[in-house]
């Protein structure tokens, strides 16, 4: 298997984009997913039943832990010495118990938050030109990063062939003007920044997970395993997550059934009953990004990989994988889920 280390953050962001004179970012999903019929919902006490296409996107009950599962704390091996440098070193880490969302925060959930609060996301706000003195005009318009699959590939290293800063892209229009979430209320919300995710979490009486909590939850008790489901990439030949099959970014074989984001809950849960801890969308954490270079200002850790992670590019749909995400712009393959560390009924 050939791996290639990416040179940019998952969310390059407006600041970084301006610095290089062009909009950047890595991979992102075009669109897609299965048609869904609305109406179904889940109770927070529900087991590990499949959600997916019949799920409306909103946990059923109104308790503070709605839609969450309690994960007892413990120690585990965090990181990996076998893959990218930023995952090293593997070390033993302990976390206390916490509640965590069974699935990525959906458009339906984020819409409820916006309806209740009038919140305006970073991608929808005017941009202060003084913060980006070298930015070309289009980067000074509200928007976000959108993936476009190129018809042909020039330089394989030039990610600007498939990432565009798109004015008008935001959580309600994830691929830009003309796109909609009307038929995606059970898909994960995207085009949100850490600030947006943290605001949602506060409204819900919750927090964003730390990277250590997120990775512990993702491993589902399989300490040291390569994937959240074990050590075999495709058990019995079946893809276990919404990622990218084929040669990114020009050939998406869709062997998992989804081109872009999928409704939450279309794949098997992990050992803790959590959906999509690998793939679908990257998930924001509370942690500032650091790697061997040290603290990277303006970046937060994202985990889990996305529908754009292919084996030839990214290969980060593994629990130890991590990437930086910019604070000043979202993208169409980054979302989040929340945790609750106290105040819930842990029985
Ligand atoms: Ca896919
Ligand atoms: Ca995910």
């Amino acid at each position: 298997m050939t791996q290639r280390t990416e040179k940019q953050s998952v969310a390059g962001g407006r600041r970084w984009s301006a610095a290089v004179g062009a909009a950047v970012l890595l991979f992102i999903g075009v669109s897609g997913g299965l048609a869904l019929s609305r109406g179904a919902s889940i109770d927070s006490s529900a087991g590990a039943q499949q959600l997916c296409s019949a799920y409306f996107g909103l946990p059923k009950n109104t308790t503070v832990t709605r839609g969450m599962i309690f994960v007892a704390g413990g120690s585990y091996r965090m990181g990996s010495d076998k893959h990218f440098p930023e995952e090293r070193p593997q070390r033993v880490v302990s976390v206390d118990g916490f509640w965590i969302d069974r699935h990525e925060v959906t458009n339906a959930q984020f819409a409820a938050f916006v309806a209740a609060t009038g919140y305006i996301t970073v991608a929808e706000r005017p941009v202060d030109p003084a913060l980006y003195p070298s930015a070309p005009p289009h980067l000074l318009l509200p928007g976000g990063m959108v993936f476009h699959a190129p018809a042909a590939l020039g330089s394989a290293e030039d990610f600007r062939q498939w990432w565009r800063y798109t004015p008008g892209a935001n959580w309600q229009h994830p691929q830009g003007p003309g796109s909609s979430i009307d038929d995606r209320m059970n898909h994960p919300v995207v085009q949100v920044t850490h600030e947006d995710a943290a605001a949602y979490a506060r409204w819900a009486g919750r927090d964003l997970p730390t990277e250590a909590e997120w990775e512990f939850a993702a491993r589902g008790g399989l300490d040291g395993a390569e994937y959240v489901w074990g050590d075999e990439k495709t058990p019995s030949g079946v893809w276990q997550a919404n990622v990218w099959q084929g040669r990114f970014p020009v050939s998406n074989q869709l062997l998992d059934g989804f081109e872009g984001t999928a409704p939450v809950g279309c794949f098997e849960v992990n050992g803790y009953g959590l959906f999509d801890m690998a793939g679908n969308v990257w998930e924001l954490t509370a942690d500032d990004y650091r790697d061997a270079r040290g603290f990277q200002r303006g970046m937060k850790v994202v985990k889990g990989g996305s529908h754009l992670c292919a084996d030839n590019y990214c290969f980060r749909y593994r629990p130890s994988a991590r990437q930086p995400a910019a604070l000043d712009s979202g993208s169409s393959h980054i979302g989040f889920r929340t945790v609750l560390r106290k105040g819930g009924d842990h029985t």
Side-chain angles (χ1 to χ4, degrees):
M1 175 184 309
T2 301
Q3 297 177 8
R4 189 173 66 206
T5 302
E6 293 149 357
K7 297 177 180 176
Q8 305 81 33
S9 67
V10 166
R14 186 181 289 109
R15 185 187 306 276
W16 194 84
S17 298
V20 299
V24 201
L25 246 261
L26 301 192
F27 23 24
I28 244 224
V30 188
S31 65
L34 302 177
L36 52 105
S37 57
R38 299 184 177 189
S41 60
I42 60 164
D43 187 279
S44 63
S45 62
Q49 85 277 19
Q50 197 87 338
L51 300 180
C52 202
S53 59
Y55 180 45
F56 183 65
L58 282 174
K60 184 177 179 181
N61 68 39
T62 56
T63 65
V64 69
T65 57
R66 62 192 176 280
M68 306 183 101
I69 281 180
F70 186 72
V71 174
S75 298
Y76 74 108
R77 286 174 286 170
M78 183 178 180
S80 171
D81 295 325
K82 296 189 293 186
H83 295 287
F84 298 111
E86 69 270 12
E87 300 171 38
R88 303 169 188 161
Q90 188 179 69
R91 66 278 189 195
V92 174
V93 170
S94 296
V95 296
D96 295 331
F98 55 94
W99 291 82
I100 186 166
D101 286 328
R102 292 182 65 206
H103 58 69
E104 296 149 337
V105 172
T106 62
N107 284 318
Q109 289 177 293
F110 201 80
F113 158 60
V114 170
T117 62
Y119 184 81
I120 298 173
T121 62
V122 170
E124 299 168 286
R125 302 174 196 166
V127 179
D128 181 359
L131 297 176
Y132 308 98
S134 61
H138 78 283
L139 289 180
L140 298 176
L141 298 170
M145 302 302 296
V146 176
F147 171 83
H148 298 268
L153 206 54
S155 166
E157 298 294 329
D158 188 353
F159 48 85
R160 287 172 293 182
Q161 296 171 100
W162 56 86
W163 281 110
R164 295 179 199 157
Y165 183 80
T166 304
N170 57 52
W171 75 274
Q172 296 186 83
H173 307 285
Q175 272 69 46
S179 66
S180 161
I181 59 170
D182 288 349
D183 62 350
R184 299 188 196 180
M185 296 307 285
N186 58 1
H187 286 228
V189 65
V190 293
Q191 298 291 3
V192 288
T193 66
H194 178 270
E195 179 180 341
D196 303 325
Y200 172 93
R202 276 195 302 275
W203 170 75
R206 302 172 181 178
D207 287 304
L208 296 180
T210 64
E211 181 179 7
E213 289 170 337
W214 194 99
E215 184 169 330
F216 182 82
R219 292 184 176 281
L222 297 178
D223 188 24
E226 187 83 339
Y227 305 100
V228 305
W229 53 84
D231 286 318
E232 188 179 353
K233 186 169 70 175
T234 54
S236 302
V238 178
W239 286 87
Q240 303 293 308
N242 180 18
V243 294
W244 179 297
Q245 298 84 36
R247 182 169 166 260
F248 181 89
V250 293
S251 172
N252 191 343
Q253 299 173 327
L254 308 180
L255 300 181
D256 58 33
F258 298 95
E259 182 179 13
T261 58
V264 297
C266 290
F267 295 84
E268 200 61 43
V269 293
N270 76 351
Y272 292 154
L274 304 173
F275 293 105
D276 300 310
M277 296 303 277
N280 212 16
V281 291
W282 285 96
E283 299 177 26
L284 287 153
T285 73
D287 287 9
D288 294 330
Y289 183 82
R290 301 171 190 275
D291 59 21
R293 300 168 295 173
F295 169 64
Q296 300 298 304
R297 190 171 68 88
M299 297 286 181
K300 290 286 185 180
V301 175
V302 288
K303 297 285 281 184
S306 82
H307 54 279
L308 296 178
C309 280
D311 290 352
N312 74 306
Y313 198 88
C314 179
F315 191 51
R316 287 188 170 88
Y317 52 91
R318 296 171 291 98
S320 61
R322 55 200 301 270
Q323 282 280 274
L327 297 177
D328 65 354
S329 59
S331 83
S332 53
H333 72 152
I334 299 177
F336 68 101
R337 76 180 71 207
T338 67
V339 294
L340 180 64
R341 299 191 185 88
K342 57 185 178 181
D345 178 3
H346 295 183
T347 60

